[in-house]
Amino acid sequence: MPLHPQARDYLARYASDEDTDFDSIDLDEIRETRAQDDAVAIHRGPLTKLPFVRDELAEDVPIRIYRADPGDGLLPVVVYFHGGGWVYGSVKRTDALGRDLAIRTGAVVVSVGYRLAPEHPFPGAADDAWSVVRDIFARPAFYQSTGSVAVVGESAGGNLAAAAAWQARDAGLRLAHQVLVYPVLDAAMDTPSYREFAKGFGLEAAEMAWFVRQYADGVDPADPRLSPLRLPDVSGLAPATVVTAGCDVLRDEGERYAHRLAEAGVPVEARRFDGAVHGFFGLPGLFDQAVEARDHVAERLRESL
C-alpha cells in the first residue's frame, strides 16, 4: 500500500526509531524522554478555551474533565485513554485532543492519566482504566452524567478501552459505545501487517515489541486484559467503531477484532485510512485524514450517546 503524501512528508521530517537499540534504553532515559518537550505539540491542534476544564481523581487515578457546554445540565460522558505504548503519553500531551473531543461530541470528556510502565507494569494501566470507568458509573452526579458512557482509546489506549469494555459487560455496566483507534489488541505481534510495515513507517515492529516487554514482560499473551483479541467471547460487547491506519503494524489486529465483533452480532463499523501511519489521529496539523477521522469518530459517538 503506498503512503499518503502527508504521511511520506511526516516520516521524512520526523526521525524514525528503526536504528534504535531498544534493549539499551534504561529507566532514566525513559523518564528523560517523558520530560522532553513534545516535538509535534504545535501539530496536535489548538488548546481551545472551554468553560470547564478541571483536574480530579477517580478512585485515585488522575483525570482531566472537559466540558464545552457552559450550562450545568446532564451530558453523556466520553472516557479517553491516550496512547504511548503504556510507557509514554499523558493527559497534558493530549490536552488539545481532549478539548476537541468535548467540542465535537458535546459530551463531558474524561481524559485518564493512567500509571505508566515500566514503573507500573501490567495490569497497572488496565486496572486504572477500569477504575475510572467504574467510578463514572458509580458517581454520575459528580460527572454530571446522563448515565450514557462511551470509551475511546488510541493505540495502547485502545487496548485499555477494549479491555474496559469487556470488563464493563461482565460487570453488568452497559457502555453506549467503544471507539478503538489503531488499537493494540494482540501481544503475539504476528500478523501480516507486522511484517509488511516492520520498518520505515513510524511505529517499528521492534519498538512495539519493546513496549510490550516494558508493560507485560512474562505475562501470558492470551490474557484478554493484555490481548483483547484473545477474549473467548465477544458477544454482548458495546457497539464499536474501529479506526485503522493503512500503513501500520497494528492494522490487521484492529481489523480482525472488528471482524470478530461483527461475527458475534456486535454492531461495528471498521474504517481504514489508506496510506496513513500510526499516530495520525492525534496530529490534525499534519494530516488531513486526522480531521476526517475525528469527524467520523465524533459522528459515531453522537449517534450512540
Side-chain angles (χ1 to χ4, degrees), residues 86-272:
W86 307 282
V87 175
Y88 302 115
S90 66
V91 167
K92 179 181 178 181
R93 190 156 286 195
T94 53
D95 194 28
L97 177 54
R99 294 166 189 266
D100 191 45
L101 283 174
I103 293 168
R104 288 175 181 272
T105 63
V108 173
V109 171
V110 178
S111 184
V112 181
Y114 56 86
R115 289 171 292 171
L116 298 176
E119 300 97 317
H120 303 284
F122 178 88
D127 285 348
D128 287 355
W130 173 227
S131 291
V132 173
V133 171
R134 188 171 56 223
D135 190 63
I136 290 168
F137 277 101
R139 296 193 296 159
F142 177 80
Y143 297 94
Q144 296 181 290
S145 169
T146 60
S148 184
V149 181
V151 293
V152 178
E154 281 185 80
S155 193
N159 169 275
L160 302 179
W166 69 255
Q167 288 177 288
R169 176 201 64 180
D170 291 357
L173 303 177
R174 187 171 181 81
L175 286 175
H177 206 77
Q178 55 177 320
V179 176
L180 312 178
V181 180
Y182 34 74
V184 184
L185 296 172
D186 192 352
M189 297 176 286
D190 61 356
T191 61
S193 60
Y194 258 98
R195 295 184 288 274
E196 186 176 358
F197 306 111
K199 287 188 177 184
F201 294 88
L203 177 63
E204 310 291 334
E207 182 182 13
M208 195 62 235
W210 179 80
F211 282 136
V212 172
R213 290 197 300 273
Q214 299 309 301
Y215 179 53
D217 190 32
V219 175
D220 181 357
D223 188 317
R225 290 177 299 172
L226 177 61
S227 299
L229 189 59
R230 308 292 189 94
L231 186 67
D233 179 14
V234 299
S235 62
L237 289 176
T241 299
V242 180
V243 172
T244 57
C247 301
D248 180 12
V249 293
L250 299 176
R251 183 193 68 194
D252 290 352
E253 61 204 72
E255 294 176 1
R256 286 182 181 181
Y257 195 61
H259 182 70
R260 279 202 68 203
L261 293 174
E263 284 191 322
V266 176
V268 58
E269 184 171 324
R271 183 164 176 182
R272 177 193 293 184

